[in-house]
Amino acid sequence: MAGLLLLSLTGCWEEDPADMSTSLIPGELEDETAQEEEAEVLLPLSFSLPYDAGKTLDPITCADGMQQVVGSLLYEGLFELDTQLEPQPCLCERYTYDPETFTYVFTLRSGVQFSDGSALTAADVTKALWRAKSSQRYGARLAQMTSAAAGEGTVTVVLAGANTGFPSLLDIPIVKSGTEGELVPVGTGAYYYAQDDAGPCLLANSSWWRGTAQPVERIGLSSAVDRESMLYQFTSHDVQLLTADLTGSDPISATGNVSFQDADTTIFQYLGLNTTREPFNNAAVRRAFSQGVNRAALTSAFLSGHALPAQFPVSPVSPLYPEELEQTYVYDDFAQALGEAVNSRTWTLTLLVNEENSFKVSAAEYLAQTLSASGVTIEVKALPWAEYTAALTAGNFDLYYGEVKLTADWDLRPLLAIGGSLNYGGWASETTNSLLAAYASATDRSTAMEALCRHLQQQAPLIPVCFKSTSVLVQAGVVEGLTPTMTNPFYDLSSCVIHLREG
């Protein structure tokens, strides 16, 4: 069905998601025959992706979304995150962990070759991890890594402290050592970069270790120097796939037959509370406010369904999410609990939000309206990004609408530990610290996460709202069986079918 799509394109598929925005306005319905004929006409003769020919495709230093999408077909990591945000072995076949010394030993999959025919070695992996540790994109997630050494088909990594979820952080793409300085480093992925008579392209890697067929033998690459030229190529059908975050700022418009498919992410939206002063130094008040958030209504109405309601700071798609602890939203129960907690006192509170994102502003206004009860009035104050972050850093707020991309090991210490880098609300609890440490070292991570979430439910140091999704947009009818994940728009590539027009 034809429609007008307002979207904003991601700066990078995997890391540092930018604020983005969308609305989908259906066009007039056409009869089925006309739609089928239009779909057939729109099928391309070849499948193409946009990329910037003047910028590197090195997945560790590349910061552009176009490059990252192309790179997902060229490069692979030790692990890859699945649709539940769980790590699945990729270039790593198996591993061991010593909890006494915080040491991982990763055994590489045998027989893996780079696209140039050379064998993947432990030295390649070790070099890539050290480069990643010093990079802007991956540096934070590898901050715990104190040592990485290559053995005979193994890579040994020593951490500064316990982290039984560390494999979740190792979807870092590996390139052949010595090629990282080239515009297109050599990888082990399903395709490799080439130039043919038709121009730059990706060609199917016949030595790909998975041994499964790629959906097409050739993928064209169309140079786009900025998002405007990329969008033009998409709307004119020169390229057939883009990635986008559909609930942010700076929207741009595109027309035509477009479909999208969401991928769940670790991007967490929440209400931050200043726990160092009244009224949020009172656990009963914090619990009442958490009880009063209608998460399902908010995500449906203000995030266009591109998010999952969450009562805990771990995604509901994760097997670690304690669904059995969820509480049913009932407004009257919230109003009663809040009334008892404030005990006839009146408060006028300020909720800060970043003004650049209209979706967040609307969500904040909805929360302010629905949480104003029992003598408590909440007023929204939308601030430019610099002023917003300055106020949080200084602690000049009652509440704020926050967003953070959590790591896939679900390490919540930056948000909740004493002195955590994102603990703007000043939450200080030795019990919380102990539970965070217990989770980091737990063999049974589900039980440890449940204990942590039970404690957070009682103390409510912050109020979870949802986990956002990111989207893959394709020309309608072109791609079938696509299973995008947060880190790979082409996850489970062997199940993907690309339909082309016979020419």
Side-chain angles (χ1 to χ4, degrees):
M1 180 168 58
L4 173 66
L5 185 67
L6 297 180
L7 59 103
S8 123
L9 306 173
T10 57
C12 180
W13 173 250
E14 180 179 353
E15 299 289 327
D16 302 322
D19 288 334
M20 301 172 191
S21 161
T22 187
S23 96
L24 188 61
I25 307 172
E28 296 182 0
L29 292 175
E30 305 167 5
D31 64 73
E32 293 183 4
T33 301
Q35 290 186 46
E36 291 175 359
E37 290 177 352
E38 183 180 12
E40 183 177 358
V41 170
L42 292 178
L43 287 179
L45 287 170
S46 63
F47 184 76
S48 297
L49 296 172
Y51 89 123
D52 191 333
K55 292 184 179 178
T56 180
L57 282 166
D58 173 28
I60 291 179
T61 59
C62 166
D64 187 272
M66 294 182 288
Q67 312 300 77
Q68 287 291 309
V69 171
V70 172
S72 68
L73 294 168
L74 297 172
Y75 310 109
E76 300 169 305
L78 291 176
F79 296 84
E80 58 182 348
L81 296 181
D82 63 16
T83 56
Q84 293 183 298
L85 302 168
E86 286 285 289
Q88 299 301 326
C90 188
L91 299 181
C92 173
E93 188 172 50
R94 62 185 182 276
Y95 68 92
T96 61
Y97 174 61
D98 181 351
E100 298 298 323
T101 61
F102 316 131
T103 300
Y104 280 90
V105 178
F106 301 99
T107 299
L108 302 185
R109 191 178 298 277
S110 61
V112 176
Q113 294 182 341
F114 286 104
S115 59
D116 65 357
S118 60
L120 170 72
T121 69
D124 294 311
V125 176
T126 303
K127 178 70 176 295
L129 292 181
W130 280 121
R131 281 209 308 131
K133 181 177 172 64
S134 62
S135 71
Q136 182 177 4
R137 175 175 294 124
Y138 298 114
R141 70 163 76 176
L142 292 182
Q144 275 190 303
M145 187 178 82
T146 61
S147 172
E152 190 65 34
T154 63
V155 174
T156 300
V157 174
V158 181
L159 305 181
N163 186 355
T164 54
F166 184 63
S168 300
L169 307 180
L170 295 181
D171 58 337
I172 298 168
I174 307 300
V175 306
K176 181 178 179 178
S177 180
T179 70
E180 56 275 334
E182 301 174 6
L183 277 180
V184 188
V186 178
T188 62
Y191 289 84
Y192 64 94
Y193 177 85
Q195 292 264 0
D196 60 16
D197 292 341
C201 62
L202 303 181
L203 297 179
N205 181 4
S206 60
S207 61
W208 190 30
W209 63 270
R210 291 188 185 271
T212 55
Q214 294 89 331
V216 289
E217 286 296 311
R218 182 187 187 277
I219 296 175
L221 295 178
S222 181
S223 182
V225 296
D226 52 35
R227 73 172 187 176
E228 284 73 23
S229 59
M230 179 168 53
L231 181 65
Y232 175 80
Q233 292 184 33
F234 184 64
T235 56
S236 62
H237 301 174
D238 293 326
V239 300
Q240 286 72 47
L241 182 147
L242 299 176
T243 60
D245 177 341
L246 300 181
T247 54
S249 57
D250 196 18
I252 50 181
S253 62
T255 59
N257 286 337
V258 177
S259 62
F260 65 85
Q261 191 167 346
D262 283 350
D264 294 302
T265 77
T266 61
I267 303 171
F268 178 49
Q269 291 193 351
Y270 63 99
L271 273 181
L273 310 174
N274 193 332
T275 64
T276 66
R277 67 190 191 196
E278 293 183 323
F280 294 119
N281 58 356
N282 184 333
V285 174
R286 299 194 300 267
R287 283 196 301 272
F289 270 84
S290 182
Q291 191 176 352
V293 176
N294 189 340
R295 297 166 174 86
L298 186 151
T299 55
S300 175
F302 300 101
L303 295 177
S304 304
H306 297 293
L308 292 178
Q311 296 186 23
F312 305 98
V314 57
S315 172
V317 303
S318 169
L320 299 178
Y321 186 83
E323 187 176 354
E324 65 279 2
L325 297 182
E326 285 193 333
Q327 298 175 339
T328 302
Y329 169 79
V330 179
Y331 178 82
D332 290 343
D333 292 346
F334 149 67
Q336 179 179 344
L338 183 60
E340 293 173 356
V342 300
N343 194 23
S344 301
R345 296 192 64 178
T346 59
W347 299 93
T348 299
L349 307 175
T350 301
L351 169 57
L352 302 185
V353 64
N354 174 23
E355 72 176 8
E356 280 86 356
N357 187 297
S358 61
F359 288 90
K360 291 180 184 177
V361 173
S362 295
E365 291 173 344
Y366 168 77
L367 288 170
Q369 178 182 3
T370 56
L371 294 176
S372 292
S374 302
V376 176
T377 300
I378 300 177
E379 300 174 346
V380 173
K381 187 175 183 180
L383 296 175
W385 178 252
E387 294 181 27
Y388 170 78
T389 54
L392 299 190
T393 302
N396 294 330
F397 64 90
D398 297 309
L399 309 90
Y400 69 93
Y401 195 91
E403 177 179 302
V404 61
K405 185 173 185 179
L406 298 174
T407 49
D409 59 347
W410 305 110
D411 182 5
L412 302 176
R413 284 173 290 192
L415 275 174
L416 296 169
I418 297 173
S421 59
L422 300 176
N423 186 0
Y424 300 116
W427 177 247
S429 165
E430 293 294 345
T431 300
T432 305
N433 273 22
S434 296
L435 288 169
L436 289 168
Y439 166 71
S441 61
T443 302
D444 185 349
R445 300 178 73 230
S446 293
T447 299
M449 177 60 80
E450 181 181 347
L452 174 59
C453 288
R454 193 181 298 274
H455 165 74
L456 296 179
Q457 188 176 58
Q458 288 298 311
Q459 294 301 317
L462 54 76
I463 300 175
V465 174
C466 65
F467 281 86
K468 288 177 52 176
S469 62
T470 190
S471 303
V472 177
L473 295 99
V474 297
Q475 298 297 334
V478 175
V479 182
E480 180 183 349
L482 194 66
T483 307
T485 64
M486 178 178 73
T487 56
N488 187 357
F490 296 102
Y491 183 78
D492 192 16
L493 183 66
S494 61
S495 298
C496 180
V497 177
I498 294 177
H499 298 286
L500 301 177
R501 176 160 45 99
E502 295 183 5

